[in-house]
Amino acid sequence: MPAGNLLLPFQPLNEGAALTLREHLRHAEQELASGPHPDRARLDAETLLLQALQKDRAWLITHWHDEAEAATAAKYDELVARRKTGEPIQYITGSSEFFGLPFSVGPGVLIPRPETEHLVEEVLRLAKAFEETPLRIADIGTGSGIIAVALAHSLPSAQISAIDSSPQALAIARENAKSHDLESRIEFFEGDLFTPLTGQSFQVIASNPPYIPVMEKDALSIEVREHEPHSALFAGDDGLEIYRRLIPDALVLLVPHGWLVLEIGFGQQPAIEVLLQSAGYSQIHFIPDYQGIPRVAAAQRS
């Protein structure tokens, strides 16, 4: 990236020039090399070219030397210009992958992270204890619905209640449930935390809530800081604002011996453990990510 973290504007090739797809790709790669993620310049340039063409890579390999149509070249320039500003590649293409499944994503929802797969894996492990009863799971702060859909896909008998305060996020989540033919087993609610679930009970409550301290905003990448929804990222001065409400409130909806499973932020294990203990949970344990960092907290209602 240029000195001072200033991003140079995208410079399109000369209009009207008869250029091949390969030449357009090379130019895009050069432009993205001066963007916020130069290490991804080639990969991003190719991904965006496939998006503009609406073709797969196998097709592209056999058509490198085709002349780019004017409309395709214009569309490609637009996508590359967006990426050069730091807009996430997933928002530009409108898709991402999570737990081996394709998902629609866009502005207004978080981009799926690999760390969240550890949460899904832990819920699947704990759910085995409830195989003899109808399994009901709540996903609090569902966002694009990745946790709810992944769980419903892996647990054919489970019924999922997914809650979010954002109508925009819920629209995307419903789209994802429908695309995987799971809309009959996932019920979506708009509201704050557990408000829409009054009077219900669940064997498992899962959540990936906002947990980044506001003071860490400037340390985040431009993709996250400038494009992903702040309401899904930040939770007060210490990142624990949502946990302080969610942890005690979940007890009311959990069946005896039910589980609360939470994604947590870097360095938050000690504080989360105290909150869980103070609320009266037992069997508290933490699951690390592949780097050994505690990323998931699980605790049981006594």
Side-chain angles (χ1 to χ4, degrees):
M1 187 184 298
N5 292 331
L6 294 176
L7 299 178
L8 298 175
F10 174 73
Q11 297 295 324
L13 289 167
N14 292 333
E15 294 185 6
L19 300 172
T20 66
L21 294 174
R22 181 185 288 275
E23 289 171 324
H24 277 281
L25 177 70
R26 286 175 175 169
H27 175 70
E29 182 181 357
Q30 292 171 354
E31 287 289 320
L32 293 175
S34 63
H37 290 285
D39 55 314
R40 290 179 49 93
R42 170 69 186 202
L43 177 61
D44 287 350
E46 188 171 300
T47 298
L48 296 176
L49 180 56
L50 295 175
Q51 179 71 14
L53 291 164
Q54 291 294 291
K55 301 289 186 180
D56 60 23
R57 195 169 189 277
W59 183 93
L60 182 60
I61 289 172
T62 61
H63 292 80
W64 279 123
H65 301 293
D66 288 6
E67 182 178 327
E69 295 181 0
T72 298
K75 179 65 175 177
Y76 189 39
D77 284 350
E78 175 195 342
L79 299 182
V80 174
R82 289 169 61 186
R83 179 58 179 155
K84 193 172 180 181
T85 68
E87 184 174 350
I89 195 82
Q90 295 91 337
Y91 285 176
I92 298 173
T93 63
S95 64
S96 186
E97 184 178 297
F98 178 79
F99 216 69
L101 300 171
F103 286 90
S104 294
V105 295
V109 298
L110 289 182
I111 294 165
R113 265 71 166 180
E115 294 84 359
T116 308
E117 295 190 356
H118 295 291
L119 182 149
V120 173
E121 290 169 350
E122 181 64 5
V123 172
L124 294 177
R125 187 185 75 82
L126 295 171
K128 294 176 183 178
F130 302 100
E131 288 180 346
E132 302 302 319
T133 59
L135 182 59
R136 300 195 69 232
I137 299 173
D139 174 22
I140 309 302
T142 194
S144 61
I146 59 169
I147 293 174
V149 170
L151 291 174
H153 183 269
S154 300
L155 299 167
S157 64
Q159 287 293 135
I160 317 289
S161 295
I163 297 86
D164 205 284
S165 61
S166 166
Q168 184 179 8
L170 287 172
I172 294 174
R174 288 190 177 97
E175 177 185 342
N176 283 319
K178 184 176 182 180
S179 69
H180 291 287
D181 296 320
L182 294 170
E183 64 267 42
S184 66
R185 293 200 293 113
I186 305 176
E187 190 171 6
F188 293 97
F189 299 90
E190 181 181 344
D192 178 53
L193 295 184
F194 298 106
T195 303
L197 303 179
T198 302
Q200 301 188 44
S201 60
F202 301 89
Q203 285 92 351
V204 180
I205 294 174
S207 182
N208 177 19
Y211 55 68
I212 301 175
V214 174
M215 65 184 67
E216 294 182 8
K217 176 182 175 182
D218 292 341
L220 300 175
S221 70
I222 189 172
E223 291 176 314
V224 177
R225 185 178 69 247
E226 300 296 336
H227 295 278
E228 294 195 67
H230 287 188
S231 61
L233 291 168
F234 302 107
D237 292 337
D238 60 1
L240 302 174
E241 189 175 276
I242 303 300
Y243 296 117
R244 291 192 180 96
R245 297 170 53 206
L246 191 156
I247 287 173
D249 289 354
L251 279 173
V252 179
L253 279 76
L254 281 172
V255 301
H257 308 296
W259 288 92
L260 174 64
V261 185
L262 304 168
E263 183 169 330
I264 65 173
F266 177 79
Q268 291 180 334
Q269 176 181 348
I272 297 297
E273 189 164 11
V274 168
L275 289 173
L276 290 167
Q277 289 173 340
S278 300
Y281 288 87
S282 63
Q283 302 297 319
I284 299 167
H285 59 277
F286 294 84
I287 296 89
D289 62 17
Y290 294 122
Q291 295 179 309
I293 300 169
R295 285 294 186 183
V296 176
Q300 189 176 45
R301 175 184 170 182
S302 299

